[in-house]
Every structure is written in structure tokens, then in C-alpha cells.
Amino acid sequence: MKNSSHKELDLILGAKHHDPFSYLGLHHKGAHYVFRTFLPYAEKVSLKVNGKWVELVREHADGLFVWEGKTSPGAPCLLKIEQHNQVIECADTYSFTPTLSDDELYLFSEGRLNQAYNTFGSHLIEHQGVAGVRFAVWAPNAERVSVTGSFNKWDGRINPMRVRGATGVWEVFIPNLNGNELYKFEIRNRNTGAILVKTDPYAREFELRPGSAAKVSTSNKHVWQDSKWLKDRSSYDWLHTPFSCYEVHLGSWKRNAQGEFLNYRELAKQLVPYVVDMGYTHIELLPITEHPLNESWGYQTTGYFAATNRFGTPDDLRYLIDACHQANIGVILDWVPGHFPKDDWALARFDGTALYEHEDPRLGEHQDWGTYIFNYGRNEVRTFLISNAYFWLKEFHIDGLRVDAVASMLYLDYSRKEGEWLPNKFGGRENLEVIDFIKHLNVLVHEDFPGALTIAEESTAWPGVSRPVYLGGLGFSMKWNMGWMNDTLAYMENDPVHRRYHHDKLTFGQLYAYSENFVLPFSHDEVVHGKKSLLDKMPGDAWQKFANLRLLITLQMTHPGKKLNFMGNEIAQGREWSVNQSLDWHLLDSNWHQGVQLANRDLNNLYRNYPALHDLDFEGRGFDWIDCHDNDQSIVSYIRRARDGSFAIIVLNFTPVLRKGYRIGVPQAGHYQELFNSDAACYGGSNQGNGAGLETENVAWMNQAQSLLMTIPPLAGVVLNISN
């Protein structure tokens, strides 16, 4: 029978040792010291003892080198390694003490380590006076975890890690490593012996796809210039200020002459001035976390803490965000905490078990998307997600998170048939662990990052999505109004002659418009997968399509609620969006497309400059119908109001019929002028309207004391205000 020393040697040689630090490195052996190192590619190894190099004995042909002596060589032990005609002097990895504190590990296990990205992953540090890289990973069901990389020939035998008690956390400090080293974790499952090679869940950079190795990041040297923006944001009254968001996929907004991606810095020079010129207040970036497949649009994330290197380094992204802030543009990140892909080198079955996901597919799999669902009840998983949100807000100065697919997270039976889901402990369909996670997330964001926004893409009637947690809500700042979007687009797709029969789709939204803090979205989801572009959804001939599109945008920009538009909508893109090519910027050679772009620009500026159009977006007192009953002529008219008493009149005609002498009621006598007319010639319209202005008549109408006789252009919207 082998003695314990031989058993441990076999475990080292077989890469099965659960605690390599108990065998390798320097140890007492009676009155002597014994030092062991496993270096299978070394030809000769020496240890510095009392200032002299002493050659070690090769005790095993596979590369175990041993020294014994009465005098301690000190810590950390220094080695001279000769291999392949090279001589390398370095400290011994297994001579170092642990680098992670017990407090960090405790908070991680409790789900309260909000900046876990500073603990896990790879970090350039100095430990015991020596520079190197600290690696840490969570793999509680592993028998052994190693760091592999180009620095050790991707050999899992060479750098096994130490496990920290029962936490399931493994760490190792490898001295003399520099930045930009590629690495992965090799994990041996303790139950099956299966070997898995995984990328780092907390990695901040990766090699270029199709490779999937993590990279020791050196990119955090950007000097921020946005202190004024952040200071102003902390007192940002987002409830009463304009929010007009330009949703962007960076890889297909615009490409260079060779059809290649613009990098982050090129985007800073081209995208930011464009957004400023168009009058938007914010940019929302489709997911920019690392993902292997362009066609996933970024929604199947494999690197949650890594800015995709398609467009440059993390510091290049910081440069872009900084440029936005210096131009007074906020940046919202599309964030995906609802699911993750099944790539076998990433989070899926990370240590050979369902670690980040649920084991039971009735809880753990998204049938629609072929992905896994996070296990939100597991503290370490909650820490991963919370710290990821914290990371983007703190390290990249992101101004808010648009949280993807919230409905799929909230409901246990989301897109599932009877028998395909498990109820909660009370027998209900609500995911109680998700509710707790979301509330915690929103409280944390609003407390630690004043002025930052959280926006829910939530498509159901779940109550209180954008109400504070202390009032029983989920705590989001705002919620996408999917009902308004669907009703409005369904209405607009009708031929104008039939719209009179669907008038309620224009008016129904007011019944719930103030139940949440709504954003009105025409997003990327509405212009893909056979849904057609916004322009192509519009009925009629070319003239009517463009007029309908200008009318649609006028409705959106004057209706209560904040605004979001996907790139391409503003230039009347004719085809559906494709992730693999630039927008069709050549369309702007056409006057009609120029007209839609100009209308968008003018509406953005109108929305920003007139408080009546944004001040009370979330309050019923900011809106009054003038007339919502004229379905025969498919006309609606309403008043938008601000807290300062100012107001605007909006009249929308959804037929191609010119209406002259149309009487509307107004709240105040005086002279009214057009602020905006979507039928103006400069937008490509027929130039019908009320250019000279309008005088009120002392005729009560539509519950108003005064009224106007006006011209309403065909398929157009008009915005009026009273002259001072």
C-alpha cells in the first residue's frame, strides 16, 4: 500500500489534488524543510537558499522537483528554471499566502458582495512584494481547478488553485505574469471526474472570436472628463425632463468604406455629433457585452463583464461614453440578466453541474430562445448579477440599464404549457426569487448611483413595475409601453379607409397611461423577423407611406410618455434592419427620406424645448382630450400641459383627406400659431396648414370656452400654441 506522500504525488501527477498547496511549496518535515515544485517542462530547477542557487532533485520523471534542508529559504521561494534553452527566474506560486479575505468570501456567500468583479476574475496585483496575477473563480462542485494559458502550455497540471474552505471559491496568485495573457479555467468535477475547460465568468476582456479564452486586462487607464455630467446627473429630475432615446446597434449603425465595423473611437467622432444634431437626449446601446455570434445582437452574452472587442478595448468604450457625456448625451445599456446561452465553454454547467442555472428544465431553460435561466435564489448567482450591474454603472459611468425580457423573468409559466413549469411555494405563477432580486437591484442602483435609470422591457399588466419598492412596486424608473406600441402600429397598418373602425386603438391607451412611468418604444424588435420596417408597415402609395410615417412619429412625440426610437426609423429605412450591414444612409439622397429625418430632428427639439410636451409625461393632469370621438373622420385632438401653466394643442388626421374649416375647442382665447406641421413642404408634405396663425372665436366647443376654425392637412399632425 502506498504511503500518503505517494498518494499525494499521484494526485498531483494526475491533476486530481484538491489542495495542491498542502503538498507543493515549502513545508516543515520534522527538523527539516522540504520544498516541492511540479514543472513538467523544466530540465533543471534551482532554489535560492541563503543567497545561493541550490539545484533541486528530480524525484519523478514527469517533473516533480524536491529540495530538503535545515534552513528555510524564506518566503516566497525563488526559483531558477532552465527549459528549452531558456533560463527563467521567478517566485514559486505555491509559496504565497491566500489573497482573498474572509470578509470577501463571507459577503459573496451571503449574496452581498456588490463589487465581486474586484474579487473574482484575473487581476494584476502585487502580493508579498511580488507582481503577478491573482485568479479567482467559483466552482463548488470541483475536485480540482487549474488556470491554463499560453504561459503554461494550456496544461492543467501546472497551476492548480487552492480552494477556500466550503465557499467553493478557488484562487491562486501566479507571480511574474503580465497583462494580456490568455487563460481559461480547467475544472475537474468531483463526482464524475469529467474535465471541463471554461472561460472566466468575470473576465473583462477576451481574445477575438471565434476564440473564447479570457485575457488578463490592462485596460483601465482612461482619464474621465465627465465630472460635471455626473454631478448634474445626481440631481437629475428625470420625471419632468425630456427623455428621447436613440436605440443603437453599434455594429450596424454605420460601417467604413470596406464594410468593416467602426471602432468605439470612430463612433465617438461620428455617432455622438449625429445624435446631438438630431436632438436626442440619450443613446441606448444594444448589448455590448461579449458574445460570439453577431446574429444574437448581443442578447446571448458569454462575457458579462467584458465590452465586446469587435469595436476595440474597454478603454475605447470608456472614451465613447465620455464623449457622449461631454456632449450632454446619456448612455443606457441594454442589460440581459434573464438568460444565458448554452455554449459549453461559458457559464452553462460551469463546474459540471447546474451552477448558475437551475437543474430542472421546468425552471432552468428558456424554450423559446434555447438558453438557460439564472438561478436567482442562489446567493452567489445574485452576487454575480448585482455586481455586474454595479460594474457597468461604476466602471463605465453608464447612466442606466434597460433590463431585457423582464416578463420572462417574472412569470414561472412564461411561454410554457401546463405541466412544463413549477409553481412557487404558494402555488402561484410568480417567480418570488426574481421579484426579490429585481427589488434589490433597483434599490441598489438608485441609492448608489443617484440619477441613474432602470428601465423595464415588461410586456404584461404586472402592477407597480415603475413604482418605488417602499410603495410595493418593483422599483424600476420606467417601463416600456408595449401595449401602446402594439395598438398604435396595428392601427397605422390599416388602410385609412378602415381606420374609423379601429379608433379605439388610438384612444384606449389613456385608460392606463399613468399607471406606470411609460416609455413609448419603436424598438429594434419591431423592424425584424418579417415585421417590416416602420416605413414599410405604412399603407398606401409612396406619398402616403411617408406621410403616415411622419404622422406616426408626431403622435409618438406628442403623446404622454418618454420616447425611444431605433436607428433607421429616423431616416425612413425601407428594408428591415440587418445586423450584418450598415443602415442605408444613401437614402438621404432622396428628398422624402431627408424630410422624415428633418421631421424627427424638429420634433425632438420641440419635445425638448416645450415643457408642455415633456413636463408631465407621467401625470394625468398633463393631458386632456379635446376630442377623441371623431372616428368618422379619424381625427383626434388633445392638450398637453406643463406645471408652469403652458400648454400645446395637438391635432392628428389619420386619413388622406384635407379638412378645412375644422372646429376644435381650445382652453384660452388668443392667437394660435403652428409650432409644427408634419405636412410642411420641407418634410415632403403637401404644405397645407395654418401658416398665418389662427384667432379664437367666442364659440364654446368640445367642453372648451373658445374654439378655432383650422385646416387639418392630410395624413398629418399639427402642434399649436398660443402666442404671447
Side-chain angles (χ1 to χ4, degrees):
M1 184 176 178
K2 294 182 179 180
N3 62 34
S4 59
S5 180
H6 286 153
K7 286 182 179 179
E8 289 202 88
L9 174 57
D10 288 346
L11 291 173
I12 292 293
L13 297 177
K16 297 179 182 180
H17 207 301
H18 187 70
D19 184 14
F21 281 80
S22 68
Y23 183 74
L24 299 176
L26 184 67
H27 298 276
H28 280 285
K29 185 181 180 182
H32 292 73
Y33 291 92
V34 60
F35 173 83
R36 304 183 188 93
T37 185
F38 180 64
L39 297 167
Y41 302 103
E43 297 156 8
K44 178 180 177 182
V45 181
S46 300
L47 174 70
K48 182 165 278 190
V49 182
N50 294 329
K52 296 180 180 179
W53 291 110
V54 178
E55 185 175 346
L56 276 63
V57 176
R58 182 188 286 269
E59 268 203 7
H60 195 282
D62 284 356
L64 182 77
F65 294 86
V66 179
W67 168 88
E68 290 192 34
K70 295 182 179 181
T71 304
S72 171
C77 296
L78 301 179
L79 300 177
K80 181 165 65 175
I81 303 166
E82 299 178 33
Q83 61 185 42
H84 307 311
N85 298 319
Q86 285 184 311
V87 178
I88 302 168
E89 293 186 15
C90 62
D92 171 57
T93 295
Y94 298 92
S95 298
F96 289 92
T97 58
T99 62
L100 302 182
S101 71
D102 290 341
D103 287 344
E104 287 175 282
L105 298 175
Y106 172 76
L107 290 171
F108 174 67
S109 298
E110 289 289 304
R112 295 191 287 122
L113 190 62
N114 294 337
Q115 297 182 57
Y117 54 86
N118 287 328
T119 298
F120 291 90
S122 61
H123 296 273
L124 289 163
I125 66 170
E126 184 175 298
H127 184 48
Q128 294 177 230
V130 178
V133 179
R134 195 253 333 273
F135 298 90
V137 66
W138 178 55
N141 298 297
E143 178 181 42
R144 182 266 305 170
V145 181
S146 298
V147 181
T148 65
S150 51
F151 48 87
N152 62 16
K153 301 183 184 296
W154 302 95
D155 188 333
R157 299 174 299 165
I158 295 176
N159 290 124
M161 305 170 78
R162 67 157 38 101
V163 67
R164 296 297 302 275
T167 64
V169 175
W170 299 75
E171 66 157 303
V172 70
F173 173 74
I174 302 180
N176 302 103
L177 278 190
N178 299 313
N180 298 318
E181 294 279 5
L182 297 180
Y183 70 96
K184 285 191 174 184
F185 294 117
E186 185 178 284
I187 301 170
R188 181 183 176 89
N189 181 270
R190 66 184 178 192
N191 296 317
T192 66
I195 303 295
L196 304 100
V197 180
K198 294 286 189 173
T199 198
D200 182 358
Y202 286 85
R204 301 194 190 188
E205 289 192 68
F206 288 86
E207 66 178 327
L208 287 170
R209 64 196 188 290
S212 57
K215 182 189 291 188
V216 178
S217 180
T218 60
S219 182
N220 193 9
K221 299 180 177 69
H222 178 74
V223 180
W224 290 93
Q225 305 291 324
D226 63 348
S227 57
K228 183 180 184 304
W229 169 268
L230 294 180
K231 181 180 178 182
D232 292 345
R233 192 188 74 183
S234 66
S235 57
Y236 174 45
D237 181 17
W238 56 267
L239 286 166
H240 300 105
T241 51
F243 179 91
S244 181
C245 193
Y246 188 57
E247 188 186 33
V248 180
H249 178 265
L250 293 181
S252 57
W253 177 73
K254 187 180 288 187
R255 295 193 175 185
N256 65 21
Q258 291 73 43
E260 299 167 336
F261 295 134
L262 299 181
N263 63 44
Y264 292 120
R265 292 178 184 266
E266 291 169 332
L267 286 160
K269 294 177 182 178
Q270 297 186 45
L271 175 61
V272 176
Y274 178 76
V275 170
V276 171
D277 177 64
M278 289 298 297
Y280 294 103
T281 65
H282 289 73
I283 298 173
E284 181 182 301
L285 302 177
L286 264 66
I288 52 170
T289 43
E290 196 59 86
H291 54 284
L293 184 67
N294 289 348
E295 286 75 13
S296 79
W297 311 338
Y299 288 95
Q300 297 214 5
T301 296
T302 51
Y304 272 80
F305 291 83
T308 178
N309 56 30
R310 286 167 172 80
F311 317 120
T313 68
D315 273 351
D316 293 334
L317 174 58
R318 290 182 176 97
Y319 180 90
L320 170 59
I321 295 168
D322 205 350
C324 288
H325 289 172
Q326 292 178 60
N328 292 316
I329 299 295
V331 182
I332 308 296
L333 176 64
D334 203 336
W335 189 54
V336 191
H339 63 118
F340 61 91
K342 293 182 177 180
D343 300 80
D344 59 6
W345 46 268
L347 287 182
R349 302 298 193 262
F350 187 76
D351 64 358
T353 67
L355 192 61
Y356 286 86
E357 68 272 41
H358 290 274
E359 180 67 45
D360 193 321
R362 292 173 295 177
L363 293 171
E365 292 193 31
H366 258 307
Q367 298 172 334
D368 292 350
W369 304 323
T371 53
Y372 286 129
I373 300 170
F374 283 105
N375 184 347
Y376 304 96
R378 195 162 196 168
N379 286 342
E380 296 89 348
V381 175
R382 288 162 63 94
T383 288
F384 175 79
L385 291 172
I386 291 293
S387 66
N388 185 245
Y390 209 99
F391 172 77
W392 290 106
L393 291 161
K394 182 175 176 61
E395 300 296 325
F396 285 82
H397 295 197
I398 289 290
D399 300 293
L401 302 170
R402 179 267 193 185
V403 183
D404 179 61
V406 173
S408 76
M409 298 167 66
L410 288 171
Y411 295 98
L412 293 165
D413 63 345
Y414 181 85
S415 195
R416 296 176 187 271
K417 299 175 184 177
E418 188 69 29
E420 295 179 346
W421 60 282
L422 295 177
N424 63 35
K425 63 183 179 182
F426 301 111
R429 58 197 285 256
E430 300 80 13
N431 192 325
L432 304 180
E433 294 165 347
V434 164
I435 295 169
D436 186 53
F437 163 72
I438 287 175
K439 288 181 176 180
H440 178 61
L441 167 73
N442 284 320
V443 169
L444 178 76
V445 170
H446 294 136
E447 285 185 351
D448 287 15
F449 302 95
L453 303 171
T454 56
I455 303 170
E457 187 216 7
E458 204 286 315
S459 55
T460 74
W462 188 285
V465 171
S466 59
R467 295 295 178 255
V469 170
Y470 64 81
L471 293 178
L474 291 181
F476 285 100
S477 310
M478 294 183 269
K479 169 184 171 175
W480 278 19
N481 194 335
M482 310 295 278
W484 177 89
M485 178 273 297
N486 284 315
D487 284 350
T488 299
L489 291 180
Y491 176 83
M492 293 299 297
E493 289 182 59
N494 286 301
D495 188 288
V497 74
H498 300 304
R499 285 175 177 169
R500 61 188 298 183
Y501 306 112
H502 305 278
H503 199 70
D504 60 312
K505 289 190 177 296
L506 282 181
T507 60
F508 178 71
Q510 277 301 308
L511 296 179
Y512 63 86
Y514 313 104
S515 61
E516 300 279 2
N517 298 332
F518 280 124
V519 176
L520 310 180
F522 293 138
S523 75
H524 65 279
D525 278 328
E526 310 319 315
V527 294
V528 289
H529 299 325
K531 296 180 184 177
K532 304 179 181 179
S533 68
L534 283 192
L535 178 67
D536 204 22
K537 292 178 194 289
M538 301 297 106
D541 59 20
W543 189 93
Q544 290 195 21
K545 282 181 177 292
F546 280 91
N548 270 306
L549 182 56
R550 296 191 304 268
L551 174 58
L552 172 66
I553 299 165
T554 306
L555 168 62
Q556 179 198 30
M557 296 301 294
T558 60
H559 190 282
K562 307 306 181 187
K563 326 298 178 186
L564 179 135
N565 267 293
F566 184 55
M567 64 181 199
N569 292 347
E570 85 282 6
I571 63 170
Q573 175 102 350
R575 61 172 173 82
E576 286 189 349
W577 168 55
S578 169
V579 71
N580 289 317
Q581 64 186 94
S582 168
L583 295 180
D584 295 334
W585 293 103
H586 65 273
L587 294 174
L588 291 174
D589 293 338
S590 157
N591 289 336
W592 277 353
H593 291 275
Q594 288 177 20
V596 172
Q597 185 188 49
L598 180 59
N600 271 274
R601 181 189 292 117
D602 288 350
L603 280 166
N604 268 331
N605 288 320
L606 189 71
Y607 169 69
R608 293 178 65 164
N609 293 331
Y610 282 84
L613 296 178
H614 65 250
D615 186 36
L616 295 172
D617 269 332
F618 302 142
E619 299 182 46
R621 63 187 174 125
F623 178 93
D624 283 310
W625 285 115
I626 296 175
D627 186 7
C628 62
H629 300 296
D630 192 358
N631 57 299
D632 282 342
Q633 299 184 88
S634 296
I635 293 174
V636 294
S637 51
Y638 47 89
I639 306 171
R640 294 295 312 279
R641 302 181 187 275
R643 288 173 295 172
D644 64 7
S646 63
F647 63 92
I649 305 293
I650 295 91
V651 186
L652 307 172
N653 178 8
F654 291 91
T655 70
V657 179
L658 175 66
R659 309 288 183 183
K660 291 189 174 182
Y662 189 91
R663 187 177 292 275
I664 65 164
V666 294
Q668 189 174 325
H671 180 80
Y672 285 74
Q673 61 184 8
E674 287 187 353
L675 294 176
F676 177 84
N677 182 339
S678 70
D679 190 53
C682 61
Y683 305 139
S686 61
N687 213 35
Q688 299 295 315
N690 309 273
L694 299 163
E695 296 292 337
T696 57
E697 298 180 5
N698 192 22
V699 177
W701 200 259
M702 301 172 179
N703 295 317
Q704 303 293 331
Q706 300 286 315
S707 59
L708 298 170
L709 283 175
M710 66 178 295
T711 295
I712 309 178
L715 292 175
V718 175
V719 182
L720 305 170
N721 82 328
I722 192 167
S723 301
N724 294 323

